[in-house]
Amino acid sequence: MREALRLARKAAGQDEVPIGAVIVHQGRIIARAWNQVETLKDATAHAEMLALTQAESAMEDWRLSECDLYVTKEPCPMCAGAIVHCRIRRVIFGCPDPKGGAAGGFWNLLQTTNLNHRSEITSGVLAEESVSILKSFFAEARARRARGEVHVKGAAALPEEG
């Protein structure tokens, strides 16, 4: 998870929403990614999605059933759907997303019984650090907006305080 947090900080440094993800196979990191939605101008370029693509390449297979995903924030529905399709064994995340999370926050796509795969979930790993990175990022973005600075990347649409 510490590597995912490092990647989240890298995302923040590039004005991307600070989320990082790593995928581990047999105790070795095989994929690393951070949000790149703004950089790539691609709504699907979430850290998890980019890491899944890298891991599939590393494994030379789309099935990642022996792999674990570490991510700093609870996956969204899009990412959770991809995680299920790739058959990730376990998802370990930092902070929950009660408004849009799909690993138990808003709903639980990762363990829906009518799908062909379910991932084990471990939540709250280094949660305070994960939350802190996100809060700092959005606080700075709000401060820039209040100062009238143009901010075109990840914080263009700021969520409400919560």
Side-chain angles (χ1 to χ4, degrees):
M1 185 61 83
R2 294 238 178 257
E3 177 65 5
L5 287 163
R6 185 187 72 77
L7 295 166
R9 286 185 201 91
K10 184 170 185 164
Q14 295 178 5
D15 284 338
E16 294 280 357
V17 174
I19 298 172
V22 298
I23 297 179
V24 174
H25 178 255
Q26 296 180 346
R28 193 177 116 252
I29 294 175
I30 61 167
R32 293 173 168 82
W34 61 91
N35 272 4
Q36 294 183 56
V37 171
E38 300 297 334
T39 301
L40 298 176
K41 309 291 185 246
D42 178 357
T44 69
H46 289 195
E48 301 96 320
M49 299 294 283
L50 297 170
L52 289 169
T53 299
Q54 286 178 28
E56 290 166 333
S57 181
M59 297 296 290
E60 297 181 344
D61 195 352
W62 61 268
R63 293 170 194 88
L64 302 174
S65 57
E66 299 300 316
C67 296
D68 300 329
L69 168 69
Y70 292 78
V71 62
T72 56
K73 184 179 178 214
E74 179 180 355
C76 73
M78 173 185 67
C79 294
I83 289 163
V84 169
H85 283 292
C86 292
R87 299 185 172 118
I88 288 284
R89 174 177 56 195
R90 184 172 168 218
V91 175
I92 303 97
F93 66 87
C95 61
D97 181 358
K99 293 181 182 176
F106 182 71
W107 59 52
N108 190 347
L109 255 173
L110 294 181
Q111 295 179 330
T112 299
T113 57
N114 61 341
L115 296 177
N116 68 341
H117 176 78
R118 282 165 287 295
S119 298
E120 181 183 331
I121 299 169
T122 303
S123 62
V125 177
L126 298 178
E128 288 181 25
E129 215 169 320
S130 297
V131 167
S132 176
I133 292 168
L134 285 162
K135 282 187 174 185
S136 295
F137 174 80
F138 286 112
E140 175 58 29
R142 285 185 185 89
R144 282 190 247 175
R145 186 168 66 181
R147 291 189 304 263
E149 296 176 19
V150 177
H151 186 64
V152 293
K153 286 209 171 188
L158 297 173
E160 295 303 314
E161 287 288 336

